[in-house]
Amino acid sequence: MSVASPSFPSNYLNNYRNFNAEMKKIVLEQHADKAGADYLYQSLVVNLILDGNQITGAEIFADGTITQVKCRYFIDATADGNCARLAGIPFNYGRENDQLTHSYNFDFAAVGSDRVIGFTWFDAGLTDQLNPAQLAQSICRDLQFYFADKFEPEGHIAYFAPLLGLREGPLLIGRETVRAQDIMNDRYTPEPVFYEYSNFDSHNTDWVFEDDALQEIFLGSGLWSHRFYVPLPRGVMLPKDYENILVIGRAMAIDHALACAVRMKQAMQYSGQCAAIMIDLALKKKCAIMDLPYEMLQKELIRGKIPLE
């Protein structure tokens, strides 16, 4: 008996502009191959090598040994600033009064009534993800509420995602910081390198412990579903006192109130693309990233199809 092969789209995007992460890895790797990139799979960065406020290389654990690689620029794409924190670069964490982050969630697949597996998530509350014991206790406590006492062929959980849905981690202390209160008061950067747009997607319920900006948005105005357009400057990716390391993804220099918005997939992708463009220009022009003329940078960002309005 022959089985017809499933038909996949020619790219990794679906009709809802979401993407298949595994297919996207393959597509990006193919492009990196064409550009002559080298890979170190199954490797860990265990230390960054510094010369004053310059990152000159990294120590990598691979194949059972530690080796050194040199670099002129370093991009920390770990989502939590893990590499930058190894170098002693300072970060903020959580809200001011108790250092708790926004709630996290479990993504999981469940079997529906039509016997088709669908993907969804449930909110799992607040925890300190940097505290292994507390995080493990939170996961064990929260999971027990989502398993039925009796197995049913329909509606049961098929499997959980390998990663937690963390809405917030450590936040960089950067050259520039974007705060929710600035957005509420129409104070924007005149030199955006990309835009994030989202609602303030926090699922917390203890709003009385949040800062004034979030209380205004949720309690005073009821604006949970309102979409905000947030322009981000280049300085949110650059640590305050370091020259050649960029921190991208949700660990950029934003405040706790804004973290639940500036964490969406599209913004995270733009931050990585923007970092690469800025490094390329800085190397070509032999200047610091903050010294790049904005008109030049703007032109390259537009050429890279990064929205600047």
Side-chain angles (χ1 to χ4, degrees):
M1 182 180 69
S2 63
V3 179
S5 299
S7 60
F8 292 104
S10 59
N11 57 39
Y12 51 83
L13 297 173
N14 64 27
N15 292 333
Y16 298 100
R17 304 301 294 174
N18 292 316
F19 60 86
N20 182 306
E22 297 306 316
M23 290 178 68
K24 184 178 180 181
K25 290 177 186 177
I26 296 172
V27 173
L28 292 178
E29 187 178 83
Q30 290 172 343
H31 283 284
D33 282 338
K34 292 179 181 179
D38 294 322
Y39 310 104
L40 285 175
Y41 290 120
Q42 302 300 322
S43 304
L44 293 173
V45 176
V46 295
N47 190 33
L48 294 187
I49 304 168
L50 286 83
D51 182 5
N53 65 346
Q54 296 281 332
I55 308 295
T56 60
E59 292 183 339
I60 310 293
F61 180 77
D63 297 327
T65 60
I66 294 178
T67 58
Q68 290 188 0
V69 294
K70 294 182 179 180
C71 68
R72 295 173 68 182
Y73 275 91
F74 190 97
I75 298 176
D76 185 330
T78 62
D80 286 328
N82 292 336
C83 295
R85 289 189 288 123
L86 279 176
I89 293 174
F91 283 71
N92 292 316
Y93 187 75
R95 57 193 183 191
E96 290 185 4
N97 62 320
D98 55 13
Q99 284 70 58
L100 283 176
T101 60
H102 294 288
S103 66
Y104 71 100
N105 57 264
F106 283 103
D107 291 358
F108 66 95
V111 179
S113 58
D114 53 2
R115 303 294 295 151
V116 173
I117 290 181
F119 298 92
T120 185
W121 59 87
F122 58 81
D123 286 327
L126 306 176
T127 190
D128 179 359
Q129 60 171 295
L130 300 183
N131 183 323
Q134 185 182 135
L135 181 60
Q137 290 171 1
S138 299
I139 293 172
C140 293
R141 180 195 66 228
D142 297 329
L143 279 178
Q144 66 180 325
F145 295 106
Y146 296 94
F147 287 99
D149 294 332
K150 180 181 178 182
F151 174 81
E152 299 290 344
E154 297 178 355
H156 70 273
I157 294 176
Y159 61 86
F160 289 95
L163 297 176
L164 295 178
L166 297 168
R167 289 186 175 85
E168 180 188 2
L171 300 173
L172 180 68
I173 298 175
R175 301 286 184 92
E176 300 173 89
T177 302
V178 177
R179 297 177 173 83
Q181 197 66 62
D182 295 332
I183 305 305
M184 296 292 289
N185 294 329
D186 291 327
R187 294 194 294 263
Y188 301 117
T189 174
E191 296 184 350
V193 291
F194 67 93
Y195 269 71
E196 150 61 11
Y197 53 94
S198 171
N199 65 316
F200 277 69
D201 189 34
S202 172
H203 294 215
N204 290 9
T205 56
D206 55 351
W207 298 116
V208 294
F209 298 112
E210 296 290 355
D211 64 12
D212 291 342
L214 281 180
Q215 290 197 35
E216 288 179 27
I217 293 168
F218 290 100
L219 297 180
S221 306
L223 291 177
W224 182 89
S225 61
H226 181 75
R227 177 175 285 188
F228 291 80
Y229 291 78
V230 183
L232 295 168
R234 69 188 96 172
V236 297
M237 292 180 257
L238 292 161
K240 188 174 181 180
D241 297 318
Y242 292 78
E243 295 292 336
N244 65 333
I245 178 171
L246 288 86
V247 177
I248 64 171
R250 68 168 187 233
M252 296 180 295
I254 52 180
D255 70 349
H256 164 76
L258 200 57
C260 56
V262 185
R263 63 171 189 86
M264 302 300 177
K265 287 184 291 189
Q266 188 166 339
M268 300 302 94
Q269 294 172 92
Y270 284 145
S271 72
Q273 184 182 358
C274 178
I277 289 173
M278 292 192 299
I279 289 174
D280 180 59
L281 280 177
L283 290 173
K284 288 177 179 176
K285 300 301 177 182
K286 298 181 180 179
C287 69
I289 287 176
M290 291 300 292
D291 293 334
L292 286 170
Y294 181 67
E295 294 76 13
M296 177 192 302
L297 177 56
Q298 183 183 45
K299 181 179 178 181
E300 289 301 308
L301 294 170
I302 293 173
R303 194 164 72 90
K305 299 182 180 180
I306 296 178
L308 295 180
E309 57 183 32

